[in-house]
Amino acid sequence: MGKVDRKYCEALDQQDDLAFLRKEFYLAEGVINMDGNSLGALPRKTMARLSNVMEKEWGQGLIRSWADAGWFEAPVRIGNKIAKLIGAGKGEVLVADSTSVNLFKALSAAVRLNQGRPIILSDDSNFPTDLYMMQGLASFCGDSLKVKVVRPEQILNALSDEVAVLSLTQVDFKSARIKNMELITKKAHEKGVLVVWDLSHSVGSIEVDLNGAAVDFAVGCGYKFLNGGPGAPAFIFTAYRHQSAAEPILSGWMGHQDPFAFSLDYRPAPGIERFRCGTPGVLGMAALEIGVDLFEKTKMSELRKKSVRLSRLFIELMEQECGDYGFRLYSPLNDKERAGHVAFGHDEGLGIYRAIKARQIISDFRPPNVLRFGITPMYQCYQDIFEVVRAIREVMETRAWDKPEYKIRGAIT
Ligand SMILES: *Cc1c(COP(=O)(O)O)cnc(C)c1O
């Protein structure tokens, strides 16, 4: 490839079949969101929708809206829409709670299904909350359950008939490396191990085929690539074949067979609805649904293609413009192994992250030295990538990262 310049990126934008989607988002002037893998951008329709939910459905409809405005069905209705993005069937996905809580529900149900086996297996590249939830469940179960954490390359060897559940995140939150879900699930099943996959960094970013891989349980996040808004509700997937046997340990009234009978004994609802716990947050659901509906305007395969092109352009431009400044690509170079962000290691990563933030480029930093840049084909254009690399180069040339106040890690990055 010859030298990439702004004109080249402009031409890519002109030929982009997905460019029309950018107009669906409220994008603040002069700000580039390179952190859509942590918090997606705001869809324009969300603002109007939330005002409508508040004024009409809540303000005027009051409690009648649980039936009249479809509030009660929202967790299943939106779940069915998410199902199409992850290779799940109708009635296999429910929107509810946070990812952490859903992981607990999935893990506890899976452990019950595989009773007598004392281990939950995971790896040390997993997102911390996933490991913490496993630790909490194990400590509650006392001596009968332990968490075993191995290195990613040791997973297949660590599978045995002692393992009840293997729980992994499909896309590494630091490197964006994609795990082979199909192969790992198959190997786990050969040993009688149930699998719980966390799709937080997959859903809305890469093509996922849960049923193609015969996955047992999965969970995922609503506020990242689904653009559902800060703290958006998450989702849980339970394969049909497990639904009647899977016992919800968080057995709340909304997951009861007949919640409004107010019976004193818990009896779980027949299908995925048994994984409801308490009353869903309607405003959050409404915002998430707008984000999810945007995926109807195109295909996941088209979004993935553009995502790969954007990230490849980013990697090539970083090499061209910043090749001498000590950045090490921390994500896989192979497009097939890399999901929806590009990460670079740099010894001055924290200062660089802060200096580009001062230039209105939103990215993030993961200790000790990883800079992450989210790739979101719905609202990013190729010229955004050019601007970001140009800013990074300027920060490096002028040593703008080298400020004492940039070196102290804040409580939130
Ligand atoms: C973002 C993320 C979560 C977030 O969990 P919350 O309960 O929503 O805070 C969990 N797991 C993974 C792998 C994530 O990337």
Side-chain angles (χ1 to χ4, degrees):
M1 189 175 92
K3 195 166 157 65
V4 175
D5 55 15
R6 189 191 299 271
K7 264 210 151 65
Y8 176 79
C9 296
E10 247 176 65
L12 290 177
D13 281 325
Q14 271 155 18
Q15 295 154 17
D16 177 10
D17 292 338
L18 297 183
F20 73 99
L21 285 167
R22 185 175 168 93
K23 293 195 260 327
E24 297 284 341
F25 290 87
Y26 172 86
L27 300 171
E29 190 63 37
V31 176
I32 303 180
N33 185 17
M34 295 297 287
D35 208 4
N37 55 316
S38 241
L39 178 60
L42 167 63
R44 288 183 187 279
K45 288 199 181 99
T46 304
M47 293 186 268
R49 173 79 184 118
L50 284 191
S51 308
N52 190 276
V53 173
M54 287 196 269
E55 199 176 324
K56 301 253 162 55
E57 299 182 6
W58 177 13
Q60 294 166 20
L62 292 167
I63 203 169
R64 294 172 289 188
S65 290
W66 281 105
D68 299 349
W71 287 357
F72 191 80
E73 293 79 36
V76 175
R77 182 179 69 241
I78 306 167
N80 284 334
K81 293 177 181 182
I82 293 174
K84 293 188 199 155
L85 303 176
I86 53 178
K90 205 163 173 238
E92 285 187 310
V93 178
L94 181 85
V95 169
D97 306 305
S98 63
T99 306
S100 305
V101 171
N102 285 327
L103 187 73
F104 184 88
K105 295 186 214 170
L107 287 171
S108 53
V111 164
R112 273 277 178 92
L113 286 172
N114 241 345
Q115 221 151 21
R117 293 179 174 223
I119 293 172
I120 296 180
L121 180 65
S122 190
D123 77 13
D124 64 10
S125 74
N126 209 342
F127 191 74
T129 201
D130 295 49
L131 299 174
Y132 302 161
M133 295 312 285
M134 292 172 209
Q135 290 161 14
L137 177 62
S139 98
F140 179 71
C141 292
D143 288 340
S144 65
L145 195 65
K146 280 199 191 59
V147 181
K148 183 172 174 182
V149 178
V150 299
R151 291 205 306 276
E153 61 278 13
Q154 296 172 320
I155 292 164
L156 295 182
N157 279 333
L159 292 165
S160 76
D161 59 10
E162 297 268 276
V163 178
V165 182
L166 170 66
S167 182
L168 297 169
T169 294
Q170 188 191 15
V171 173
D172 185 312
F173 79 104
K174 281 192 183 169
S175 70
R177 181 178 292 282
I178 305 171
K179 285 196 163 73
N180 188 336
M181 186 164 86
E182 197 174 350
L183 175 81
I184 296 172
T185 300
K186 183 165 167 275
K187 296 281 179 197
H189 285 171
E190 282 168 15
K191 299 271 156 97
V193 176
L194 292 170
V195 295
V196 179
W197 285 97
D198 187 332
L199 306 178
S200 289
H201 279 278
S202 317
V203 61
S205 172
I206 61 172
E207 291 166 273
V208 178
D209 189 3
L210 288 178
N211 284 332
V215 169
D216 302 293
F217 296 89
V219 298
C221 191
Y223 51 79
K224 291 171 179 163
F225 294 96
L226 295 182
N227 306 312
F235 64 88
I236 179 167
F237 159 90
T238 303
Y240 282 131
R241 65 183 177 283
H242 293 309
Q243 286 186 358
S244 53
E247 278 181 64
I249 309 302
L250 298 181
S251 43
W253 74 299
M254 282 272 164
H256 192 279
Q257 237 174 49
D258 188 1
F260 295 94
F262 300 101
S263 131
L264 296 187
D265 295 309
Y266 179 74
R267 263 178 286 116
I272 190 71
E273 288 192 75
R274 62 178 52 196
F275 288 99
R276 295 174 78 128
C277 184
T279 307
V282 170
L283 296 177
M285 293 269 166
L288 174 64
E289 190 161 21
I290 298 291
V292 171
D293 280 345
L294 283 175
F295 285 84
E296 299 261 302
K297 293 187 177 284
T298 178
K299 290 201 196 91
M300 209 43 249
S301 56
E302 292 301 307
L303 286 164
R304 171 64 175 154
K305 254 188 243 159
K306 180 173 171 189
S307 166
V308 166
R309 285 193 194 123
L310 286 164
S311 60
R312 201 187 306 144
L313 176 72
F314 188 39
I315 291 168
E316 284 166 3
L317 265 174
M318 279 295 283
E319 178 62 38
Q320 176 186 300
E321 299 296 315
C322 301
D324 298 332
Y325 288 117
F327 290 94
R328 303 173 295 275
L329 182 64
Y330 187 78
S331 297
L333 183 59
N334 181 346
D335 295 339
K336 291 202 168 68
E337 295 170 15
R338 185 184 64 244
H341 64 271
V342 178
F344 290 95
H346 196 289
D347 299 339
E348 299 298 340
L350 186 57
I352 296 167
Y353 150 72
R354 295 258 169 80
I356 60 177
K357 190 159 90 175
R359 285 161 174 74
Q360 302 274 64
I361 292 165
I362 314 297
S363 66
D364 66 27
F365 175 76
R366 291 292 173 260
N369 60 9
V370 178
L371 287 148
R372 296 193 312 175
F373 298 92
I375 301 295
T376 46
M378 272 205 180
Y379 50 87
Q380 273 169 355
C381 61
Y382 294 93
Q383 288 170 89
D384 284 343
I385 303 294
F386 186 84
E387 285 305 320
V388 169
V389 175
R390 204 183 52 80
I392 297 172
R393 184 187 161 123
E394 190 189 289
V395 162
M396 301 317 291
E397 270 172 1
T398 59
R399 295 179 66 88
W401 51 265
D402 196 9
K403 290 194 184 159
E405 68 266 31
Y406 282 171
K407 309 237 158 125
I408 311 145
R409 186 163 73 85
I412 301 170
T413 54

